[in-house]
Amino acid sequence: MTSMQPMWWFALPVLLLPVWWHLRKRERTRTELLATARFLPAAAPQQQRVLRWSDLLLLLVRLALLAVLIAWLAVLAMPWKGDTVFIDASLESSPWARQQIQSAGMSAAAREPLPTDLWNWLALNEHEWRPDARFLILAPNAAMPALRPRLAHAADLRLSPTPPPAAPALVVRGSSLAAGTGTPSASTPAIRERHVVVVAPVERIAAWQALFAAFGTAGYGACRYVIDDTPTPKTELIVWDRHDSDPPPSWQAPLWWRTAKATGQTHTQQGLTWSAPDWPLHDIEAARALYERWQAATALPVAYPMQAQAINAARTRPLPTPLERSPEWLALALLALFLIERTLAHARRR
């Protein structure tokens, strides 16, 4: 058991407050003088505090309530995970991955999918692993971070010697774009997908498919263009190659290619719009210029590759964790204890 905000444990002396309050509090009782008491010697009245079982139970509940509150503020965590293998989805069934796991002596280790932002994800979540746990990272490639990762656990990064085979450069979905290469099988390695929507006359659909298929083989890195009928949150581009109608107002995308009488660029509520009277569906040089302009405006920067290496533990404990990552069971226990405390306090006054 560890704490991500240990300074809160200095508030433990607060637990003395309920004890002090219960010892100091006295019940005020109303006294009535008896007629025969005047014949007795005068004596100062004495009060004696009788501790009832409900008082003791209420004190224990209040102490537990304060202790759980401090533990919740201190982000108490219980590391339960051991050695773990983080493996890319494209390498799960490869003989190379099985060989690396066996050579590292982690055949019995748990397996988890490789996070997208690996090093930052590990820095934020490694408090879930025991101090003696090890990480084995198997990936086809890795991006070099700005600084060397400083973790509280040892990590071994191993990269596959050969990249996974390329997948089809074009996927066509929807009934209006039926002439295409189809959806790749489940065994196709996961590569980057770029979603586009094409709305054009039937005689121009095949030309647009050929254009995006050529885009999929251009540039660096594996990429597959998925052509849909309607936009989704993943849609990067909408091609509206029609003169006789306008797109629905609800359609939105970061970039639009629209057929218009004049060439230009405008910003609308639906997204950035590039207009042209005719698109280069058959002109190779013009298509290359359009592709380079598109990539310059939207392409992600290429990360510097990281080499395979063993990273030793550089911290004695994980990084501090913010309060919103405190365990949910502590919040539920805090709520339950508060309800019990209010119920006992109300019953005690009756």
Side-chain angles (χ1 to χ4, degrees), residues 91-325:
L91 301 175
E92 289 183 353
S93 58
S94 65
W96 175 84
R98 291 193 294 268
Q99 180 184 3
Q100 299 301 317
I101 294 174
Q102 185 176 3
S103 63
M106 301 182 69
S107 300
R111 298 192 184 186
E112 292 196 10
L114 189 67
T116 303
D117 192 359
L118 174 64
W119 305 116
N120 288 332
W121 188 90
L122 286 177
L124 293 175
N125 296 276
E126 64 174 340
H127 62 272
E128 299 178 359
W129 277 265
R130 296 193 297 267
D132 57 343
R134 298 175 300 160
F135 298 151
L136 176 61
I137 305 168
L138 304 179
N141 52 63
M144 175 71 74
L147 299 175
R148 183 178 177 83
R150 299 184 72 249
L151 303 174
H153 299 82
D156 189 2
L157 174 63
R158 302 187 182 185
L159 305 178
S160 60
T162 56
L170 179 67
V171 175
V172 181
R173 296 176 180 172
S175 58
S176 63
L177 301 177
T181 57
T183 304
S185 62
S187 60
T188 302
I191 63 174
R192 184 188 177 194
E193 289 186 348
R194 306 191 68 175
H195 291 253
V196 298
V197 174
V198 176
V199 179
V202 178
E203 61 273 11
R204 295 172 62 87
I205 290 295
W208 279 110
Q209 293 177 7
L211 180 66
F212 283 106
F215 286 169
T217 59
Y220 300 95
C223 182
R224 178 172 63 239
Y225 287 90
V226 180
I227 300 180
D228 299 314
D229 281 341
T230 57
T232 65
K234 297 181 180 180
T235 300
E236 301 181 30
L237 170 67
I238 296 179
V239 177
W240 192 267
D241 188 13
R242 301 189 71 94
H243 292 279
D244 54 352
S245 62
D246 294 328
S250 60
W251 284 21
Q252 293 185 354
L255 181 62
W256 288 70
W257 292 353
R258 294 192 60 176
T259 303
K261 296 181 179 180
T263 302
Q265 175 177 311
T266 58
H267 290 272
T268 64
Q269 295 182 352
Q270 294 179 298
L272 177 62
T273 302
W274 293 355
S275 302
D278 190 20
W279 295 100
L281 299 180
H282 304 287
D283 189 344
I284 298 178
E285 295 300 328
R288 181 183 293 110
L290 177 62
Y291 175 78
E292 292 176 354
R293 181 189 177 191
W294 182 22
Q295 298 310 304
T298 61
L300 299 176
V302 179
Y304 190 81
M306 186 177 184
Q307 302 297 325
Q309 55 186 291
I311 303 175
N312 297 325
R315 300 180 185 273
T316 56
R317 57 185 305 129
L319 291 175
T321 305
L323 181 60
E324 56 266 18
R325 297 179 63 88

Side-chain angles (χ1 to χ4, degrees), residues 67-69 71-77 326-336:
V68 173
L69 176 61
W72 180 71
L73 293 174
V75 194
L76 186 66
S326 190
E328 295 182 359
W329 63 270
L330 281 177
L332 296 176
L334 188 64
L335 178 61

Side-chain angles (χ1 to χ4, degrees), residues 19 21 35 48 50-51 60 78 94 131 146 170 181 183 195 217 309 341 348:
V19 178
W21 176 258
Q48 183 178 2
V50 178
L51 187 64
L60 294 177
M78 293 186 296
S94 65
L170 179 67
T181 57
T183 304
H195 291 253
T217 59
Q309 55 186 291
E341 190 273 339
R348 179 176 174 271

